[in-house]
Amino acid sequence: MGIFSRIGDIMKANVNDLIDKAEDPEKMVKQIIRDLQQEVAKSTQALGKAMASQRIAERQYKTALQSSADWESKAKAALAAGNTEMAKKALSYKVKADNDVASYQQMYETITTQTDAIRNQVETLKAKLEEAKSRQAMLIARSQMAKTQKNLAQSMGGINTSSSMDKFNRMEEKIMQQEAEAAAFAEISGNSNADTKSFEQMEADTKVDAELQRLMAEMGTSTSDADLDAQLAALEQGGSL
């Protein structure tokens, strides 16, 4: 029967192989569930028809058995009444009924065997369906995990860590160079300020000396350079000329 050939193919299929070959394992798993559900429905309908045929054959077999028994009873009654002809006629009907019994018995047994086989196949298919349902969530979870791992691996593969670290090192070197330049400019700036102050101090001292000479000239006094230096030192210390 075609339906059971299809059922056999599904039951023999290796779910893992199907998943490996499928472009989308999650969709494939769900499709397998749908296929199994359809096959269960079809096989259940076939089982229902087989069971109906079995009941009809059983009824015909039992009817033939009862007919044979009835004709035998009538033949006995005819013989008891001394009517041999009626007994023989009743027995002829019994023979026909016995033939029907043999025929219906064979038919009933054949249909019963087929029905039992279909019933076993249906039960097996239902068990496979329940197993597939129980494994569905696990398989889908594994598929999603595999996709996640694959995506992460591809993402990491697209990053050149060596190149990234080289760039990082170059940036660090640039920063160190900038820091060194800043320190050098600070040092140069400090020396420049000191020199500027020295020059300013020399200029101020020259002006002071000039003013002192002017005052002394106006007052008609003079002094040596040594005395001038001593007087300036005294002024700086808060003394007086």
Side-chain angles (χ1 to χ4, degrees):
M1 300 175 68
I3 182 173
F4 296 110
S5 175
R6 173 62 176 155
I7 292 172
D9 290 339
I10 292 177
M11 291 187 344
K12 291 177 184 177
N14 187 308
V15 175
N16 289 329
D17 287 343
L18 290 176
I19 290 176
D20 290 340
K21 295 176 182 178
E23 301 229 343
D24 190 333
E26 294 180 34
K27 291 182 179 179
M28 190 61 184
V29 169
K30 293 178 181 179
Q31 185 59 50
I32 291 172
I33 298 295
R34 286 193 290 269
D35 289 343
L36 286 171
Q37 288 173 333
Q38 291 177 358
E39 296 303 332
V40 167
K42 292 178 181 178
S43 60
T44 300
Q45 291 177 353
L47 177 60
K49 293 179 180 179
M51 291 175 65
S53 298
Q54 182 186 25
R55 284 193 294 270
I56 293 172
E58 182 182 15
R59 186 164 57 248
Q60 290 173 331
Y61 171 55
K62 289 182 178 180
T63 299
L65 282 175
Q66 185 61 48
S67 178
S68 176
D70 290 343
W71 286 116
E72 184 173 350
S73 177
K74 290 177 180 180
K76 289 179 180 179
L79 285 175
N83 191 338
T84 305
E85 290 298 324
M86 290 295 296
K88 289 175 65 176
K89 189 173 182 180
L91 290 174
S92 67
Y93 285 116
K94 179 184 181 301
V95 170
K96 182 178 181 303
D98 288 341
N99 290 334
D100 290 341
V101 167
S103 177
Y104 288 133
Q105 181 180 9
Q106 182 179 3
M107 183 185 299
Y108 172 68
E109 291 175 352
T110 299
I111 293 176
T112 298
T113 300
Q114 293 175 345
T115 301
D116 290 341
I118 295 173
R119 183 180 289 106
N120 291 335
Q121 290 175 337
V122 170
E123 293 303 321
T124 300
L125 189 56
K126 286 182 178 180
K128 289 293 182 180
L129 175 59
E130 292 304 316
E131 179 184 358
K133 286 182 177 179
S134 65
R135 295 177 61 187
Q136 179 181 11
M138 179 186 66
L139 291 174
I140 290 177
R142 287 173 59 188
S143 173
Q144 292 175 345
M145 181 63 69
K147 287 181 180 179
T148 300
Q149 291 175 339
K150 180 180 178 181
N151 291 336
L152 287 175
Q154 289 176 337
S155 298
M156 292 300 295
I159 299 176
N160 189 333
T161 55
S162 177
S163 176
S164 297
M165 292 306 299
D166 289 342
K167 292 178 181 178
F168 189 86
N169 292 334
R170 286 200 299 273
M171 292 303 102
E172 184 177 12
E173 290 176 359
K174 286 186 177 181
I175 292 173
M176 292 174 63
Q177 179 66 28
Q178 290 174 350
E179 291 174 344
E181 291 176 357
F185 280 119
E187 183 178 352
I188 293 173
S189 176
N191 293 336
S192 177
N193 289 338
D195 293 341
T196 300
K197 289 181 179 179
S198 297
F199 286 121
E200 290 177 352
Q201 184 63 44
M202 290 175 61
E203 185 178 357
D205 291 344
T206 301
K207 290 181 179 180
V208 170
D209 290 343
E211 287 297 315
L212 179 61
Q213 292 295 333
R214 182 182 61 78
L215 289 176
M216 291 176 66
E218 290 179 356
M219 296 173 63
T221 62
S222 63
T223 183
S224 64
D225 291 339
D227 292 338
L228 182 59
D229 291 339
Q231 292 174 358
L232 290 174
L235 287 173
E236 289 176 355
Q237 295 177 359
S240 59
L241 294 174

